[in-house]
């Protein structure tokens, strides 16, 4: 259907927004330590984005979301709301999801951090989730399909005895935060939309240590947790399909792109 193909001037703006979103994750890393609250992390990111980067934090007021970033700790799958009373402790894992708007264009990226020294079983989940994202990124090129992306993520997750969340997915992105297509993280090779040069979208797999089923908090309307309360991890990048492959618009300097 109506998937937007970005023009060169739009792609240039997506590159800038992507780099700025990546920079926020680099900036916040040293603050992710035992004793910090997710409310603190939100304030630090908000002030950096607004005052230094001069970007708009896209989550703030997005469909009523109350904060500038998402902070999803342990069994929280996604869309965790930062709070001053939620203090991180040694051994927690936390996904920080950053979306900025610069010059009208969005950059969306997230990373799961260990708080203090990584715990082995958590590190395995976090690492396999990142491998799923990287394997998917590596097959992106014109002619590949969305089903190819879902398939490679599901294969690698399930081979490692993890489950893939179905209810939330990657998405087209540009002047609109969430646009077509939906990029699901499971599926069959060769099915679904064919990728074309100039498409921009995210891949953002959520893997659970236990069962794939999730629960939405009825009270706050946002926080998604695993039903079985076991750990969940997520990583996200914003991508551009190029003439012969992919550019990772939100790549950090320490990544192999
Ligand atoms: N950044 C999330 C994504 O990857 C969306 C967050 S929407 C919010 O698509 F409202 F929760 F911020
Ligand atoms: Co996203
Ligand atoms: Co995001």
């Amino acid at each position: 259907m109506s998937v937007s193909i970005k023009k060169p001037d739009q792609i240039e703006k997506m590159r800038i927004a992507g780099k700025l979103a990546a920079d926020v994750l680099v900036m916040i890393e040293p603050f992710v330590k035992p004793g910090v609250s997710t409310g603190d992390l939100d304030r630090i990111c908000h002030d950096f984005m607004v005052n230094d980067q001069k970007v708009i934090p896209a989550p703030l007021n997005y469909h009523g979301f109350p904060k500038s970033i998402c902070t999803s700790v342990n069994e929280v799958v996604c869309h965790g709301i930062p709070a001053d009373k939620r203090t991180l402790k040694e051994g927690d894992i936390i996904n920080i999801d950053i979306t900025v708007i610069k010059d009208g264009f969005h950059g969306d990226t997230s990373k799961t951090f260990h708080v203090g020294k990584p715990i082995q079983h958590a590190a395995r989940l976090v690492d396999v989730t990142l491998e799923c994202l990287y394997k998917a990124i590596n097959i992106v090129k014109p002619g590949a399909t969305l089903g190819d992306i879902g398939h490679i993520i599901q294969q690698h997750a399930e081979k490692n005895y993890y489950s893939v969340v179905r209810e939330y997915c990657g998405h087209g992105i540009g002047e609109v935060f969430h646009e077509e297509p939906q990029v699901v993280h499971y599926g069959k090779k060769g099915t679904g939309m064919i990728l074309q040069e100039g498409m921009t979208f995210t891949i953002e797999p959520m893997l659970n240590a236990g069962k794939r089923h999730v629960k939405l908090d009825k009270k706050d309307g946002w926080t998604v947790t695993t039903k079985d309360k076991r750990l969940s991890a997520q990583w996200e990048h914003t991508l551009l399909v190029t003439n012969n492959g992919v550019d990772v618009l939100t790549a950090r300097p320490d990544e192999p792109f």
Side-chain angles (χ1 to χ4, degrees):
M1 265 260 307
S2 52
V3 165
S4 71
I5 299 299
K6 271 73 180 180
K7 298 184 189 72
D9 61 305
Q10 298 175 305
I11 289 171
E12 199 42 51
K13 291 177 182 180
M14 289 294 291
R15 287 190 193 284
I16 291 165
K19 174 70 169 83
L20 289 163
D23 289 346
V24 181
L25 285 180
V26 172
M27 181 280 300
I28 200 64
E29 167 140 35
F31 295 96
V32 183
K33 288 212 172 100
V36 77
S37 75
T38 57
D40 296 330
L41 297 174
D42 177 69
R43 269 187 298 278
I44 296 163
C45 288
H46 176 95
D47 290 349
F48 180 73
M49 290 189 272
V50 171
N51 299 330
D52 298 348
Q53 295 188 316
K54 315 223 182 286
V55 301
I56 298 168
L60 189 58
N61 302 318
Y62 180 77
H63 294 279
F65 192 81
K67 296 287 177 179
S68 297
I69 66 173
C70 297
T71 51
S72 301
V73 181
N74 295 341
E75 75 281 2
V76 178
V77 173
C78 63
H79 304 165
I81 303 174
D84 291 337
K85 63 177 193 302
R86 186 68 177 90
T87 300
L88 300 181
K89 60 177 192 307
E90 182 91 21
D92 284 342
I93 60 171
I94 178 174
N95 176 276
I96 300 181
D97 194 336
I98 302 294
T99 312
V100 307
I101 309 172
K102 183 69 166 184
D103 205 3
F105 287 79
H106 292 73
D108 187 8
T109 185
S110 83
K111 165 174 176 170
T112 299
F113 298 87
H114 295 277
V115 180
K117 195 168 151 288
I119 292 179
Q120 203 179 353
H121 79 278
R124 200 178 153 273
L125 172 67
V126 169
D127 292 352
V128 170
T129 307
L130 181 60
E131 288 162 15
C132 284
L133 174 59
Y134 282 4
K135 283 176 180 288
I137 288 171
N138 277 325
I139 62 164
V140 170
K141 62 176 182 184
T145 72
L146 289 180
D148 296 342
I149 292 171
H151 177 78
I152 201 161
I153 292 168
Q154 184 179 14
Q155 279 289 315
H156 190 61
E158 292 178 355
K159 192 177 90 187
N160 285 281
Y161 307 99
Y162 295 134
S163 62
V164 176
V165 171
R166 308 295 170 104
E167 288 83 355
Y168 302 89
C169 57
H171 49 91
I173 184 168
E175 287 173 279
V176 175
F177 192 168
H178 296 105
E179 62 182 30
E180 288 181 59
Q182 290 197 39
V183 181
V184 303
H185 305 115
Y186 56 90
K188 291 196 169 61
K189 258 187 206 172
T191 66
M193 180 180 293
I194 299 171
L195 303 183
Q196 283 180 58
E197 181 178 355
M199 286 174 63
T200 51
F201 59 88
T202 74
I203 304 179
E204 48 184 295
M206 285 145 275
L207 267 60
N208 297 348
K211 295 200 190 315
R212 67 176 180 82
H213 305 95
V214 300
K215 199 172 100 192
L216 176 65
D217 188 310
K218 285 196 217 75
K219 292 219 175 87
D220 69 26
W222 284 102
T223 309
V224 178
T225 58
T226 56
K227 245 187 194 164
D228 60 15
K229 293 288 188 277
R230 293 185 65 186
L231 288 183
S232 187
Q234 180 177 27
W235 296 78
E236 173 176 27
H237 273 311
T238 297
L239 310 172
L240 165 71
V241 183
T242 63
N243 61 342
N244 62 353
V246 61
D247 277 355
V248 181
L249 302 182
T250 48
R252 294 177 296 280
D254 63 325
E255 291 188 296
F257 303 113

